[in-house]
Amino acid sequence: LAKTTQPISMDSYEGQEVNITCSHNNIATNDYITWYQQFPSQGPRFIIQGYKTKVTNEVASLFIPADRKSSTLSLPRVSLSDTAVYYCLVGDMGSGNTGKLIFGQGTTLQVKP
Amino acid sequence: DAGVTQSPTHLIKTRGQQVTLRCSPISGHKSVSWYQQVLGQGPQFIFQYYEKEERGRGNFPDRFSARQFPNYSSELNVNALLLGDSALYLCASSLWRNNEKLFFGSGTQLSVL
């Protein structure tokens, strides 16, 4: 499973767009990129997953360049409730995977009023 | 639909004691994984069970054990508790053995005194 590197913390203000970049230089061909969000005293919550180019859902966008050695989670118009820890994970989600996710330290996002 | 439920929510034990944590997956989910999260760090994989068989194990001592029942619920047992076992224990379920999208419970906060 590829190791990921992301900023320890970020600050933003309500209404701004927040971009969190994750580096994964050793990503393998079969690896997908997944982001989870975690609030204090709760389990992580799936946000978005992608393999290449751009993926968008109702809460976020995920941008992946052609070399796939990094990815950027984009949160549009953040609110105070988006204050949380965001984890970037890289791994093979295909058949035979043993369900093991490798979490790093994550990025603590603080949204200010 | 109910999410992943864990019990108890909080637990206080003393060193040397044994503890059993319980998890009920989302209805229809056959895979259950257990994670340990120490304060300030990301979750660390302990076990995955799929169809009542252990499918993956993280780097944890033999004091940690788990099992999955015919109804897909699961228990995590920790023997001979150490102070360092104090953590949030998270259970996650998914439809299949693959970990494309995990659904986490809110966890059991274990304090070892």
Side-chain angles (χ1 to χ4, degrees):
Chain A
L1 293 167
K3 180 180 177 179
T4 60
T5 302
Q6 52 184 123
I8 296 296
S9 64
M10 293 182 67
D11 289 340
S12 182
Y13 290 92
E14 283 191 292
Q16 289 188 331
E17 178 185 72
V18 170
N19 296 308
I20 306 174
T21 297
C22 178
S23 172
H24 29 80
N25 291 319
N26 296 322
I27 190 169
T29 303
N30 294 332
D31 287 345
Y32 280 72
I33 300 154
T34 310
W35 287 80
Y36 280 80
Q37 174 194 55
Q38 186 177 26
F39 298 112
S41 299
Q42 292 187 27
R45 182 177 72 102
F46 174 93
I47 301 175
I48 197 166
Q49 183 181 79
Y51 183 79
K52 62 180 180 180
T53 62
K54 176 184 175 182
V55 179
T56 298
N57 62 22
E58 63 276 8
V59 298
S61 295
L62 179 59
F63 298 92
I64 306 168
D67 66 6
R68 304 201 325 123
K69 294 188 176 185
S70 67
S71 59
T72 299
L73 174 72
S74 181
L75 304 172
R77 298 179 299 282
V78 294
S79 64
L80 295 176
S81 63
D82 292 316
T83 293
V85 179
Y86 292 82
Y87 294 98
C88 167
L89 297 91
V90 173
D92 183 357
M93 304 300 174
S95 177
N97 188 284
T98 56
K100 177 180 181 179
L101 295 182
I102 304 295
F103 288 82
Q105 272 194 296
T107 297
T108 299
L109 172 65
Q110 179 70 50
V111 180
K112 302 175 181 179
Chain B
D1 287 340
V4 176
T5 57
Q6 293 186 243
S7 63
T9 55
H10 296 83
L11 203 52
I12 299 175
K13 292 286 188 178
T14 56
R15 282 180 298 174
Q17 285 189 313
Q18 174 265 340
V19 68
T20 298
L21 310 180
R22 295 175 176 83
C23 171
S24 293
I26 291 172
S27 177
H29 285 194
K30 298 182 178 181
S31 174
V32 170
S33 301
W34 287 93
Y35 289 79
Q36 180 197 64
Q37 186 171 27
V38 174
L39 190 63
Q41 298 183 19
Q44 301 297 308
F45 173 76
I46 309 175
F47 285 111
Q48 187 206 20
Y49 276 78
Y50 177 72
E51 289 285 12
K52 301 180 289 293
E53 290 188 14
E54 182 182 306
R55 302 289 183 163
R57 184 185 185 107
N59 188 25
F60 280 81
D62 292 343
R63 299 185 295 108
F64 289 76
S65 64
R67 55 179 175 170
Q68 187 177 33
F69 299 98
N71 66 353
Y72 302 109
S73 67
S74 178
E75 286 183 351
L76 175 70
N77 295 285
V78 186
N79 294 322
L81 285 167
L82 303 174
L83 295 179
D85 294 331
S86 296
L88 180 68
Y89 287 85
L90 295 162
C91 172
S93 75
S94 62
L95 275 170
W96 306 110
R97 184 178 165 185
N98 304 333
N99 62 355
E100 178 176 326
K101 185 173 181 179
L102 292 188
F103 295 82
F104 284 84
S106 294
T108 294
Q109 184 65 55
L110 173 63
S111 298
V112 182
L113 306 178

